[in-house]
Amino acid sequence: MASEIAEVVGGQLVGDDVAVNGATIDSRSVSTGQLFVPIVAARDGHDFISAALDAGAPAYLTSAGAVDGAAGAAIIVDDTARALAALGAAARDRLPGRVVGVTGSVGKTSTKDLLAGLLATTFRTAASEKSFNNELGLPLTLVNAPDDTEAVVLEMGARGIGHIDLLCSIGKPTVGIITRVEGVHLELFGNIEAVARAKGELVEALPDDGIAVLNADHKHVAAMADRTSARVITFGLTPESDVHASAVVIDDELRASFRLHSPWGETDIRLAARGEHQVPNALAAVAAAGGLGVPLEKFAEGLLGAALSGLRMELVTSERGVTILNDAYNANPTSMSAALQSLAALAAGRRIAVLGTMAELGHDSAWQHEAIASQARELGIEVIAVGEPTYGADVRHVADVAAASAELSDLGAGDAVLVKGSRVAELERVAQALLN
């Protein structure tokens, strides 16, 4: 009820005490019964309160007073973002103890998706949508979790020291997964040691009876075992890991199969997720799911049936017979390298990578882009760089998506194209142009 929300967030209810079911910050995606939370950012969400009410929101938070003549109930607060965080924390307190936080420089979203698929074989499971992993997306995941939820998977991103700690104060995870620590977002963190400090805040927040799932193949992650009193389960590609894989095989569709070894037994696994780099993500998901009680016989089913977020290693073929590997959601040196290796593994006549910028690399940006271009040359891959000059002189440079699409007009059956860049590049439009 709106009155309960007002009490939780320390707000003042103006209007009827209406029933509320869930919340959203986007007036375009309101479901009937959802609370609308206007966020003040580049655009002021208060400007869209009327649209949200028209779409079916019965109530809204506001730091600008009630909207004159509006039919919905207003909950007046000092700061809508802080109120959303408080609402998320209250929602978390109503949930059971199976709450998993997932963080790391790369692989967060895929690991979250794979784990959600595993947990759903045994528990009623809620998980972060897409990459909703910040101080807005995480509380929304908690608020929108159905009342009968038995397990929750929360993706956690960080843009500085203290961010993960803040998210943990809202989500109170009992299990924490650290995928990898890489030189990503160095423009914000400064160095990889700072990245490790920030990501490790997750394991520090775990309770004594919790579980820390750590990548044994990465020294910065493995060292986090000393930062937690929780039980540690390791995963990795080396046999010394608690959860590891052997006999990894990649098929023509870039899907991995392997023999899984775990404290709960061994079984054969086949992934629907594409790319060999998904194997460690699957191992991390198994470690968390097994620790929470998902039985061995459910591992293969859960991993194969996991629903994956869009624009990540999507493989399609155009009417002209061009194979398109659309991995355009985001890019950093680690994920870019993995995507190039996947492209090289495809059977193709020509292999072309349409690459956008890798953002937030700080002082390392120029040489990191050059290194990716060098790797592409070694793999026999042509590169078309979109709006990023630091890929160097040995690649084709174009200014925008339209020009990149024009460069691909002569492709035909048997050719393969990778499309990848940081979110700001919006290179999924190149993949769509090839399909059209």
Side-chain angles (χ1 to χ4, degrees), residues 95 100 134-135 296 303 354:
L95 294 169
V100 185
N134 62 9
E135 67 276 9
L296 174 69
L303 289 172
V354 180

Side-chain angles (χ1 to χ4, degrees), residues 28-371:
R28 299 165 298 180
S29 64
V30 171
S31 296
T32 300
Q34 281 188 319
L35 173 76
F36 178 61
V37 182
I39 300 300
V40 180
R43 303 178 72 180
D44 189 342
H46 290 84
D47 295 338
F48 303 95
I49 290 175
S50 294
L53 295 174
D54 291 341
Y60 59 95
L61 298 183
T62 174
S63 60
V67 177
D68 291 339
I75 301 170
I76 300 173
V77 297
D78 292 333
D79 184 291
T80 55
R82 284 204 299 269
L84 176 59
L87 191 58
R92 166 63 183 94
D93 290 340
R94 297 184 178 185
L95 294 169
R98 303 182 195 92
V99 176
V100 185
V102 183
T103 194
S105 299
V106 293
K108 293 187 295 295
T109 302
S110 294
T111 300
K112 176 261 299 181
D113 292 339
L114 292 168
L115 177 56
L118 277 169
L119 291 175
T121 65
T122 307
F123 308 110
R124 289 183 290 275
T125 301
S128 303
E129 292 184 24
K130 303 176 183 177
S131 290
F132 288 4
N133 61 18
N134 62 9
E135 67 276 9
L136 302 177
L138 184 141
L140 283 174
T141 300
L142 294 165
V143 171
N144 290 325
D147 291 339
D148 62 353
T149 296
E150 296 176 314
V152 182
V153 188
L154 300 172
E155 183 176 337
M156 296 182 172
R159 300 179 67 81
I161 302 295
H163 286 189
I164 297 292
D165 189 53
L166 170 63
L167 297 178
C168 288
S169 72
I170 300 169
K172 303 178 183 66
T174 57
V175 179
I177 299 175
I178 314 291
T179 58
R180 297 167 68 129
V181 169
E182 303 282 0
V184 178
H185 303 311
L186 293 184
E187 184 177 277
L188 304 172
F189 285 99
N191 55 53
I192 195 168
E193 289 75 20
V195 177
R197 285 200 303 275
K199 301 300 185 182
E201 291 170 1
L202 173 54
V203 298
E204 291 176 346
L206 297 174
D208 292 346
D209 60 351
I211 302 172
V213 177
L214 303 179
N215 190 336
D217 295 338
H218 287 256
K219 65 178 184 179
H220 290 293
V221 180
M224 293 178 191
D226 295 332
R227 296 171 61 179
T228 182
S229 57
R231 171 190 175 196
V232 173
I233 302 176
T234 61
F235 69 93
L237 299 178
T238 58
E240 292 76 21
S241 305
D242 297 324
V243 179
H244 61 276
S246 64
V248 177
V249 176
I250 309 299
D251 68 15
D252 293 341
E253 293 268 314
L254 301 178
R255 294 186 172 102
S257 298
F258 57 90
R259 183 70 175 173
L260 172 72
H261 307 266
S262 79
W264 309 282
E266 299 183 5
T267 191
D268 292 321
I269 298 294
R270 181 173 181 269
L271 300 180
R274 292 184 173 89
E276 189 169 1
H277 60 284
Q278 295 288 5
V279 174
N281 297 334
L283 298 176
V286 165
L292 286 173
V294 174
L296 174 69
E297 58 268 23
K298 296 292 187 179
F299 289 171
E301 171 193 341
L303 289 172
L304 183 60
L308 303 176
S309 299
L311 303 182
R312 291 169 174 83
M313 299 296 287
E314 295 177 352
L315 192 66
V316 294
T317 303
S318 74
E319 290 184 359
R320 286 188 289 164
V322 179
T323 299
I324 304 161
L325 184 58
N326 185 355
D327 198 36
Y329 185 80
N330 215 335
N332 56 60
T334 301
S335 65
M336 189 73 84
S337 176
L340 287 175
Q341 293 175 51
S342 294
L343 176 62
L346 289 173
R350 294 173 64 193
R351 298 180 181 87
I352 300 174
V354 180
L355 306 182
T357 189
M358 296 183 289
E360 298 177 349
L361 295 180
H363 297 303
D364 292 338
S365 181
W367 77 261
Q368 292 275 29
H369 284 87
E370 291 171 2

